[in-house]
Amino acid sequence: GVFVAGSHHLDIRLGGLNTAILIGSSLTMALAVRGAQLGNRKTLVRFLVLTLVLGLAFLGVKAVEYHQKWVHHLVPGPGFHLEGPHANEIQLFFSLYFAMTGLHALHMIIGIGLILWLLPAAARGRYHAQFYHPIEAFGLYWHFVDIVWIFLFPLLYIAK
């Protein structure tokens, strides 16, 4: 019904692109953890940087999506404007969309901040085969945030 109607106002191509970006970032994060486990500083740093770049790319795509919603007056509140009999219900859909994707984006920003915090120590060789647990723990956080998106994408973008 109305949830499906609201999802038709989302750009599945941008949501799909962000899904691919996050799947790629899970790979780069796993490779960073593996680099730390093997004591390969260069590999660790390289893949942390790639994970950072992919995280920033995700946020960039999300910013484009949010801008599109703003331009088309689909941000809930006094500026929301949509013609049709179910406009109020679709506004509720967008309230949920912004709450869920906004909370996800906040966790991505936190993850990016953590990468920026881990990178200098990684570059100095602080993490190695005998001490890589902070990288591994952060990897679990990053994968969890990625998995949340794997549920949000079909829920919001391909509702049937």
Side-chain angles (χ1 to χ4, degrees):
V2 176
F3 202 85
V4 172
S7 97
H8 286 132
H9 293 280
L10 299 179
D11 188 334
I12 195 167
R13 294 167 302 164
L14 292 177
L17 174 61
N18 259 348
T19 301
I21 288 169
L22 286 188
I23 289 170
S25 80
S26 271
L27 173 63
T28 59
M29 189 64 236
L31 292 170
V33 170
R34 188 65 180 147
Q37 290 171 336
L38 294 175
N40 188 329
R41 181 176 56 174
K42 235 176 155 177
T43 298
L44 168 60
V45 170
R46 178 181 301 123
F47 285 112
L48 279 178
V49 168
L50 284 171
T51 304
L52 173 71
V53 168
L54 290 170
L56 291 170
F58 175 90
L59 290 175
V61 171
K62 188 52 59 193
V64 167
E65 280 190 275
Y66 281 7
H67 177 71
Q68 287 177 350
K69 302 302 162 269
W70 178 263
V71 167
H72 293 109
H73 304 285
L74 295 175
V75 176
F80 187 87
H81 181 74
L82 185 68
E83 298 294 329
H86 300 291
N88 285 336
E89 291 88 350
I90 292 174
Q91 183 173 197
L92 178 59
F93 168 85
F94 277 104
S95 295
L96 293 169
Y97 165 80
F98 281 105
M100 289 189 276
T101 61
L103 192 57
H104 181 265
L106 173 63
H107 284 85
M108 289 294 298
I109 291 166
I110 291 167
I112 287 166
L114 289 170
I115 291 174
L116 291 171
W117 180 68
L118 290 166
L119 262 172
R124 287 192 306 272
R126 170 125 169 81
Y127 310 113
H128 46 77
Q130 290 75 37
F131 180 69
Y132 58 85
H133 305 296
I135 300 296
E136 189 172 49
F138 171 71
L140 292 173
Y141 172 85
W142 191 265
H143 294 312
F144 176 76
V145 174
D146 286 355
I147 287 169
V148 168
W149 180 258
I150 297 301
F151 286 97
L152 289 178
F153 175 66
L155 175 71
L156 297 170
Y157 290 81
I158 41 183
K160 296 284 179 212

